[in-house]
C-alpha cells in the first residue's frame, strides 16, 4: 500500500479528481504539474511487519496518523493560514507545535527508526512474559 510521509493536499490545486503541485524537472528545466498521489510516498511505510504473535494490527501506525495526527495538522494549518487570527492561545500554540512535529516524525528515516525501537521493546516484553508464564507452569504440580 502506498503511504505518504508529507501532507501535500493543502499545498495543491484540485484539477479534475486529483490534487496537483508544481514540480521542477532538473533535466528539462521545466515546471510540470504532478499528482500528489505520485510523490512523497513509500510502499508500506506505516505498515508493521506481519508478526501476529506480537502485533494484531499491521496498520496500527497508519491508523494513528489518520485518526489522531492528521486532524490536528489540519487544525494547525487552518490556524496558521487564517488572516483574522493575530494572537494565539497556549492551546493553539500546542496545535501548531504538534502539526510541525508530526511533519518531522513522518520523515521515513525517523519513522522507521521509531518503529524499530518500539518493535524491539515489544518483542523483549513479549519474550519476558512468555518466559514468566512458562516458569509458572513448571512450578505447578498436577
Amino acid at each position: 500500500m502506498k503511504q505518504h510521509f508529507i501532507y501535500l493536499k493543502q499545498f495543491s490545486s484540485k484539477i479534475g479528481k486529483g490534487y496537483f503541485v508544481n514540480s521542477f524537472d532538473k533535466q528539462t528545466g521545466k515546471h510540470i504539474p504532478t499528482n500528489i498521489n505520485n510523490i512523497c510516498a513509500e510502499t508500506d511505510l506505516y505498515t508493521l511487519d506481519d508478526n501476529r504473535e506480537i502485533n494484531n494490527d499491521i496498520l496500527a501506525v497508519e491508523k494513528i496518523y489518520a485518526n489522531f495526527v492528521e486532524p490536528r495538522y489540519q487544525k494547525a494549518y487552518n490556524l496558521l493560514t487564517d488572516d483574522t487570527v493575530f494572537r494565539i492561545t497556549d492551546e493553539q500554540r500546542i496545535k501548531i507545535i504538534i502539526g510541525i512535529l508530526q511533519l518531522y516524525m513522518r520523515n521515513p528515516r525517523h519513522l522507521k527508526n521509531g518503529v524499530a525501537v518500539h518493535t524491539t521493546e515489544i518483542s523483549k516484553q513479549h519474550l519476558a512474559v512468555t518466559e514468566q508464564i512458562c516458569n509458572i507452569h513448571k512450578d505447578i504440580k498436577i
Side-chain angles (χ1 to χ4, degrees):
M1 170 190 310
K2 191 187 300 187
Q3 298 166 325
H4 291 84
F5 54 88
I6 303 240
Y7 193 72
L8 292 172
K9 192 171 184 179
Q10 297 299 335
F11 304 100
S12 65
S13 300
K14 186 171 170 88
I15 301 173
K17 292 184 179 182
Y19 290 87
F20 293 79
V21 293
N22 286 321
S23 299
F24 181 74
D25 186 330
K26 290 181 181 180
Q27 293 178 345
T28 65
K30 294 182 181 180
H31 291 271
I32 53 173
T34 304
N35 190 313
I36 63 172
N37 287 333
N38 301 327
I39 56 175
C40 297
E42 288 188 18
T43 301
D44 294 331
L45 177 63
Y46 304 117
T47 305
L48 300 173
D49 291 335
D50 191 13
N51 183 343
R52 297 290 177 193
E53 193 172 317
I54 296 170
N55 167 35
N56 291 326
D57 187 359
I58 62 172
L59 295 176
V61 176
E62 173 76 16
K63 290 176 182 176
I64 288 169
Y65 274 106
N67 297 325
F68 178 74
V69 178
E70 288 178 5
R72 280 152 183 78
Y73 171 80
Q74 183 64 46
K75 289 177 183 178
Y77 177 85
N78 291 342
L79 183 62
L80 290 170
T81 58
D82 185 342
D83 292 336
T84 64
V85 175
F86 295 101
R87 293 178 189 249
I88 59 172
T89 66
D90 287 341
E91 183 178 336
Q92 291 169 322
R93 188 173 286 113
I94 290 168
K95 288 178 184 176
I96 292 167
I97 291 170
I98 290 171
I100 292 168
L101 287 176
Q102 74 92 13
L103 293 173
Y104 174 79
M105 292 307 297
R106 285 183 88 153
N107 175 300
R109 181 173 48 112
H110 299 298
L111 181 68
K112 289 176 184 175
N113 287 343
V115 169
V117 166
H118 284 68
T119 301
T120 300
E121 289 304 312
I122 290 169
S123 295
K124 286 179 187 175
Q125 290 178 15
H126 181 263
L127 182 60
V129 169
T130 302
E131 288 175 357
Q132 288 175 352
I133 291 170
C134 288
N135 288 335
I136 290 170
H137 285 286
K138 283 184 204 174
D139 294 338
I140 296 174
K141 295 181 180 174
I142 300 177

